[in-house]
Structure formats: structure tokens, C-alpha cells
Amino acid sequence: MNGQMNNYNSYMQKTYSPIDVNTLPYFVNMKAMRDYAKEKGVSIASLTDSEKEKFTKINLSNKKASNL
């Protein structure tokens, strides 16, 4: 076996658990951000950070975000 196959096999043996949405510190309204960028005629990546922050909402049920 080559190194690539070893990497694949070790990756497949790991177990992952789904992310609980309530543990995320922020929520982003991607549809509204996409619509805003489309209306402006630019890509989402080219929006400024302050423009992107308009579509970010703090998750109040997350302890880390509420301590900020």
C-alpha cells in the first residue's frame, strides 16, 4: 500500500459527530447576503467586512458568543 491509501484508510476509520447548531457563536443569513451582493453587482467575496456583518447575528444560546 502506498502512503495515499494509508491516509485514506486512517481517515475512514475516524468517527465524526454532527455539529450542533446551538454551539455556533454566530448565524449568517447567506440568502440575504447573496441577494445584497447580486443587487450591488459584485460577488460575496468582494463585500467588505462591515457589509458582511450586517447579515451576521449573534447566537444568544451560545456561551462563548454571549461573553463577547
Side-chain angles (χ1 to χ4, degrees):
M1 265 195 231
N2 59 20
Q4 203 171 23
M5 194 64 181
N6 289 336
N7 289 342
Y8 173 76
N9 287 334
S10 66
Y11 173 78
M12 292 303 292
Q13 290 177 2
K14 293 180 183 176
T15 57
Y16 295 96
S17 59
I19 296 173
D20 182 16
V21 174
N22 292 321
T23 63
L24 298 174
Y26 300 98
F27 296 121
V28 179
N29 187 345
M30 290 300 294
K31 182 179 184 319
M33 188 184 301
R34 184 196 68 208
D35 292 343
Y36 175 78
K38 188 175 181 181
E39 180 181 303
K40 197 172 175 185
V42 297
S43 67
I44 291 175
S46 64
L47 293 175
T48 64
D49 288 340
S50 62
E51 288 175 316
K52 291 176 186 176
E53 286 176 10
K54 294 178 186 177
F55 305 101
T56 303
K57 180 181 173 186
I58 294 176
N59 181 1
L60 298 176
S61 66
N62 183 317
K63 303 241 187 249
K64 289 180 185 177
S66 61
N67 289 336
L68 295 176

